[in-house]
Amino acid sequence: MSIPTPDFLTCPICRTRFNGTTKKPISLLCGHTCCSSCLQLMHRKQCPLDATPFQQEDIDSFPTNQALLLLVTETRTEEGSTKALQNGDDSKNDEKVVGHCIGELALYLKPLSSGSQKAGNSITLSRPMQRKLVALVHCQLAEPVGRARALRAARSLGERTCTELILQHQNQQQLSSMLWAAVRTRGCQFLGPAMQEAALKYILLSLEQGEALSRKVLVLYVVQQLEPHFPQASKTSIGHVVQLLYRASCFKVAKRNDDSSLMQLKKKKVPTATLR
């Protein structure tokens, strides 16, 4: 899945592709990235997209986004090189290490059609992974606010990576059993297949003669009928099923003043398969 002409490699103001000379990518604390030329021309010291004020008045003091620069120039500057990681105080060195790692991750955003792409990075990313990685690449690491944003983006990217690895390496039977295990832990909102089938049967049984019942009465009746066989049945879970049927337009609803609305099946004879 390639990314033809990625928007994250262009300035959102002038729509010009970033470069290493006059259009250097400058990431702001809010997570937006603009070129150095557009920021120099601004009269107000704030983000042109969401009006977040700049932390510093001097635009020249803003750090260049080395990860984006690596994508557009295919060269790493001394500021982002591995040699630079060996010098300086610990805090600056930590910032450079993080920036270097983000730069390595940014290489996965290169279009697959790029002939200069490294063989080790020739991996197709899903759309969610691309979006999360782009959000991380746009974070500014020079200020605490930007580093906090980068931490959240990195955590989100890591969680998505774990999810996709699990989905890729599990067979359908294992995945199905895990999903049902998760459903059972949320028994207040979801039903298993057998319990859902029984709930639909009792809903149909209570309304098949054309009776009009309130939602509360219908739910209580179904819960009472299910309780001997499904002790975990609750008003919340059955009410969830009734609400789904209501949204699927299975009922005719008669509103009453100062009282609950009455629900009635639209057809007197409705097979269980239709409700299902």
Side-chain angles (χ1 to χ4, degrees), residues 145-161:
V145 176
R147 291 194 289 270
R149 183 185 295 274
L151 180 61
R152 292 192 297 269
R155 182 184 296 115
S156 178
L157 178 63
E159 291 172 352
R160 181 67 196 186
T161 302

Side-chain angles (χ1 to χ4, degrees), residues 7-12 18 25-34 65 67-68 71 102 106 109 130-141 146 149-150 153:
D7 288 338
F8 64 89
L9 294 181
T10 61
C11 175
F18 296 126
I26 305 295
S27 291
L28 308 175
L29 290 180
C30 56
H32 294 119
T33 302
C34 305
N65 189 315
L68 287 176
L71 285 175
I102 293 178
L109 292 172
Q130 291 176 10
R131 289 193 295 267
K132 293 179 183 298
L133 184 51
V134 167
L136 176 61
V137 167
H138 278 285
C139 291
Q140 194 230 77
L141 303 177
R149 183 185 295 274

Side-chain angles (χ1 to χ4, degrees), residues 15 80 108 144 164 168 199 201 240 264:
R15 310 304 300 174
Y108 289 99
E164 295 199 2
Q168 288 179 9
K201 181 183 73 173
H240 182 69
Q264 187 179 24

Side-chain angles (χ1 to χ4, degrees), residues 203-211 213 218 251 263 265:
I203 290 173
L204 181 61
L205 182 64
S206 62
L207 298 174
E208 64 180 356
Q209 298 301 324
E211 292 87 350
L213 301 177
L218 177 60
F251 302 127
M263 296 188 300
L265 285 179

Side-chain angles (χ1 to χ4, degrees), residues 98-171:
V98 173
H100 178 79
C101 294
I102 293 178
E104 293 297 321
L105 288 173
L107 293 176
Y108 289 99
L109 292 172
K110 277 185 172 295
L112 296 179
S113 58
S114 174
S116 61
Q117 186 176 2
K118 295 180 181 179
N121 288 343
S122 56
I123 298 177
T124 301
L125 296 181
S126 65
R127 289 293 182 185
M129 289 282 287
Q130 291 176 10
R131 289 193 295 267
K132 293 179 183 298
L133 184 51
V134 167
L136 176 61
V137 167
H138 278 285
C139 291
Q140 194 230 77
L141 303 177
E143 300 291 339
V145 176
R147 291 194 289 270
R149 183 185 295 274
L151 180 61
R152 292 192 297 269
R155 182 184 296 115
S156 178
L157 178 63
E159 291 172 352
R160 181 67 196 186
T161 302
C162 292
T163 300
E164 295 199 2
L165 285 173
I166 291 173
L167 292 176
Q168 288 179 9
H169 290 85
Q170 281 193 327
N171 59 45

